[in-house]
Amino acid sequence: MKRRHNQPGTPSPTQGRPRRSKPNLEPRVAPTGSVTPRVRRVWWIGLVLALGTFLMFSPARSFEFFRFDDPQYILDNQQVKAGLTGEGLAWAFRAVHAGNWHPLTWLSHMLDCQLFGVNAGRFHLVNALFHAANTALLFLALRRLTGAIWRSALVAALFALHPLHVESVAWISERKDVLSGFFFMLTLWAYARYAQRQSLQARAAAFLPLPSSVFYLLALVCFALGLLSKPMLVTLPFVLLLLDFWPLQRTPHSSFPNRSPAPAAPRHPATRAWTALMIEKIPFFALALAQSGITLWTQKVEGAMAAADQLPFSWRLGNALISYGRYLQKMCWPDQLAFLYPHPGKWPTEIVAAAAGLLLLVSLGVVWLGRHQRYWLVGWLWYLGMLVPVIGLVQVGQQSWADRYSYLPLIGPFIILAWVLGDLVEKWRWSRPVVTTGVAAILAACAVATSYQLMLWKSTEPLYCRALDVAMHDRVYRRAYETIPLYAELHLSFARDWAEVVQTADEKEQLVAYLRKWALLKPDSAQVHLILSEALARQGNWQEAAAQFNKAARLAPEAAQPRGPRPPPLNNIPPPGR
């Protein structure tokens, strides 16, 4: 059989497969060079990815503010609406508003107000621009790290088009997602440039404390800016260590898996390499630790953190296990997405056990596969690790889990998918048309689903209706809506506001349909029947309006004080058809 030889300096198509050669502490260098056709092709692919992503999300220019968090961040925030001012700059760095310390996010909103005023469409377009830039930067960073063009492009395309990422882009309050993602991608790119030029061997031998490199400092600065945008980036130092393992391969191949070397062979090279890599990350870990402390303090001050007596640790652990499975499930089949998935408190034991078992089996399978292909371990640990700050072990907010939290963690599974498909094509050339067709179908399906999901964010009403529909089709979420007053209060407060602004017959019909579902969920709630009565009266359905009003009066006579049109007595209702 003919053995295929790679060109010098070109990464092997089977990157990530440990070899039996002598351990080498030198970093693995991806192809660089002047402006060659290959380099021009890389930049063209990045440009196409960015333009395609922006066009996908450009319909958001006609969208409204979402009346959940957007008032707190922008509409009712006088400091933000005033634009960039000296007072606003000082406020951004001392504010613990909205339960987070993210001054750079506040400043980005202020800049938007300075440039465009309080214009929802322009805010949405800025989010879309950041997402497009993140897509291109992810492609460039992965290509720099791995040398693989088309696999990196597939990861970036999945990142750009997956429906789970719509919430991060289409929700103005989630500017912190796309802004922190921007600095995350820049950190990866700068670190790749640094690591491929830095000689780890000399530092590992001499135990030099810290590297000196422009790209290292650039990576550190970008990481700091990312933390000032969203604290979720505290896990990025661990991601850099994963990248050292693969694809940079700055650790000896013999360190994993253990090939049972001769007893006399010391393992100093691996120990020294990992020690040098850990020392190298000390400034990153210091920044992450500082931001973690600030975040925990601000969330405690704002009362955003759930108390231990409200949610015991065993309940939070069960929710975390289930959330890991839910993110993977929605990654593979992204249906029934909503802006709020209610936290049920204690999940049924059988569901928690099934989630734990599945997570354990997948992890064992990944470890077994990772013996030969390191990207399995890197992608899986990327996913598990980046979700730790938001997985619910420290519960903040009202949600069980959230689409927006998957924005950066899903890059790990996307890497696994892209490299598995690439290896498949390398191993069996005949599979190329099948794989290409399958990838095209996946991307097309993602684009269609994302387009549909994006339209839900046009205004507030479809989002609340979708959240209620999702809860109605899930027995655990439905139970949470039925038994936990917080969620009913949230939805009914919105329903009251919606009832004040409905005008067209279609809008009135949508409001009535929404409230009928709540009447099924909360048949003993006087407030539900009262609001439904007012909505039916606005629709002109006086007979049913009077019936709903009477139900409310029987359940709570003191609460039956309608604010809208009062239903007439039943004996004054004209018969149908008159």
Side-chain angles (χ1 to χ4, degrees):
M1 179 182 293
K2 243 184 181 181
R3 186 175 180 180
R4 191 166 67 91
H5 295 280
N6 297 315
Q7 294 297 325
T10 304
S12 168
T14 56
Q15 289 187 32
R17 179 179 298 143
R19 298 173 182 173
R20 299 175 184 265
S21 58
K22 183 179 178 180
N24 181 17
L25 294 182
E26 291 293 336
R28 189 180 177 96
V29 180
T32 58
S34 58
V35 182
T36 62
R38 179 183 176 87
V39 173
R40 284 197 295 270
R41 180 172 61 173
V42 168
W43 285 100
W44 273 111
I45 293 173
L47 181 62
V48 169
L49 285 168
L51 287 176
T53 304
F54 182 75
L55 289 175
M56 171 61 67
F57 287 90
S58 61
R61 66 185 180 275
S62 62
F63 290 4
E64 303 172 2
F65 286 104
F66 178 31
R67 294 195 295 275
F68 187 93
D69 278 359
D70 282 0
Q72 189 178 14
Y73 271 81
I74 298 151
L75 295 176
D76 298 335
N77 193 319
Q78 298 305 318
Q79 294 286 358
V80 171
K81 290 167 68 175
L84 288 173
T85 63
E87 181 183 352
L89 180 65
W91 175 86
F93 278 89
R94 69 171 184 266
V96 293
H97 203 50
N100 281 304
W101 188 70
H102 41 43
L104 205 58
T105 296
W106 291 124
L107 293 177
S108 74
H109 287 310
M110 291 177 185
L111 180 59
D112 281 2
C113 287
Q114 183 78 31
L115 296 175
F116 314 121
V118 187
N119 185 317
R122 301 299 175 87
F123 277 80
H124 283 297
L125 283 181
V126 171
N127 274 17
L129 281 171
F130 270 117
H131 186 51
N134 293 345
T135 299
L137 286 172
L138 175 60
F139 164 68
L140 294 175
L142 285 178
R143 186 264 169 187
R144 169 66 60 177
L145 285 163
T146 66
I149 294 179
W150 294 111
R151 301 184 197 199
S152 301
L154 176 56
V155 174
L158 289 169
F159 172 82
L161 299 177
H162 201 282
L164 274 177
H165 293 167
V166 170
E167 181 172 293
S168 295
V169 184
W171 195 347
I172 293 174
S173 295
E174 290 308 312
R175 169 69 56 82
K176 51 186 176 286
D177 271 3
V178 291
L179 185 60
S180 63
F182 178 73
F183 292 112
F184 177 88
M185 306 305 177
L186 284 177
T187 302
L188 296 187
W189 178 85
Y191 184 77
R193 292 294 302 267
Y194 151 74
Q196 291 167 348
R197 294 174 177 228
Q198 177 74 12
S199 175
L200 188 65
Q201 187 175 17
R203 290 199 306 106
F207 286 99
L208 296 179
L210 290 174
S212 58
S213 167
V214 172
F215 289 111
Y216 180 88
L217 294 175
L218 179 60
L220 191 61
V221 169
C222 289
F223 175 51
L225 293 174
L227 290 175
L228 294 178
S229 305
K230 187 175 184 179
M232 185 178 168
L233 263 61
V234 292
T235 55
L236 194 147
F238 296 99
V239 173
L240 298 183
L241 286 172
L242 290 175
L243 296 177
D244 289 331
F245 181 70
W246 181 91
L248 294 172
Q249 300 186 38
R250 301 175 75 198
T251 59
H253 290 301
S254 60
S255 63
F256 183 89
N258 184 4
R259 297 289 186 179
S260 300
R267 299 186 64 182
H268 294 311
T271 304
R272 288 186 175 184
W274 279 111
T275 302
L277 291 173
M278 292 297 295
I279 293 174
E280 180 183 74
K281 306 300 185 298
I282 287 177
F284 291 89
F285 281 112
L287 289 175
L289 185 62
Q291 179 64 295
S292 298
I294 293 172
T295 300
L296 290 173
W297 177 77
T298 56
Q299 290 174 345
K300 187 175 182 179
V301 167
E302 286 285 294
M305 192 182 302
D309 57 342
Q310 294 175 321
L311 283 175
F313 180 76
S314 60
W315 293 11
R316 285 177 273 144
L317 179 60
N319 182 74
L321 293 171
I322 290 169
S323 297
Y324 274 119
R326 291 268 175 159
Y327 286 118
L328 289 177
Q329 175 194 354
K330 296 301 181 182
M331 181 193 76
C332 299
W333 192 256
D335 68 331
Q336 296 293 301
L337 302 181
F339 83 94
L340 177 63
Y341 306 99
H343 198 304
K346 183 179 181 181
W347 283 86
T349 305
E350 63 275 12
I351 297 180
V352 175
L358 178 63
L359 204 61
L360 179 61
L361 286 176
V362 172
S363 298
L364 291 174
V366 165
V367 170
W368 185 78
L369 293 168
R371 298 178 307 159
H372 305 292
Q373 301 288 5
R374 289 186 172 191
Y375 59 74
W376 280 96
L377 278 170
V378 170
W380 183 241
L381 292 177
W382 181 314
Y383 169 73
L384 295 180
M386 288 214 71
L387 278 173
V388 167
V390 292
I391 203 62
L393 295 176
V394 177
Q395 181 64 33
V396 176
Q398 308 159 348
Q399 71 288 330
S400 171
W401 59 286
D403 296 356
R404 57 189 176 275
Y405 294 155
S406 70
Y407 189 67
L408 296 176
L410 283 188
I411 296 174
F414 292 160
I415 287 174
I416 293 176
L417 176 62
W419 259 258
V420 165
L421 292 177
D423 285 354
L424 185 65
V425 171
E426 290 290 340
K427 187 173 182 180
W428 292 297
R429 292 289 184 178
W430 57 265
S431 66
R432 182 184 295 271
V434 178
V435 171
T436 303
T437 303
V439 167
I442 290 173
L443 294 179
C446 283
V448 171
T450 292
S451 179
Y452 172 77
Q453 184 69 18
L454 183 64
M455 290 300 106
L456 293 176
W457 287 85
K458 189 171 185 178
S459 61
T460 302
E461 293 80 11
L463 291 168
Y464 271 91
C465 292
R466 167 54 71 89
L468 182 57
D469 287 340
V470 170
M472 295 285 285
H473 289 87
D474 187 295
R475 66 181 179 90
V476 177
Y477 293 153
R478 178 169 181 155
R479 182 64 177 164
Y481 270 28
E482 291 172 342
T483 59
I484 301 176
L486 171 68
Y487 301 113
E489 291 169 4
L490 174 68
H491 277 262
L492 293 181
S493 175
F494 156 73
R496 292 188 192 97
D497 294 338
W498 188 9
E500 296 292 338
V501 298
V502 291
Q503 293 181 354
T504 67
D506 286 344
E507 290 174 346
K508 294 175 182 178
E509 183 61 36
Q510 291 171 10
L511 174 60
V512 168
Y514 174 78
L515 289 169
R516 287 189 195 279
K517 294 174 184 176
W518 268 109
L520 291 173
L521 284 173
K522 306 281 287 184
D524 297 330
S525 171
Q527 287 298 317
V528 171
H529 293 292
L530 185 60
I531 301 172
L532 177 55
S533 169
E534 296 173 5
L536 289 165
R538 285 186 171 89
Q539 198 180 32
N541 189 348
W542 297 107
Q543 186 167 4
E544 190 176 357
Q548 292 294 331
F549 178 77
N550 290 336
K551 285 183 182 179
R554 285 196 301 270
L555 291 167
E558 71 284 355
Q561 299 295 329
R563 299 175 303 157
R566 187 183 298 272
L570 282 175
N571 57 357
N572 290 339
I573 295 177
R578 181 175 296 183

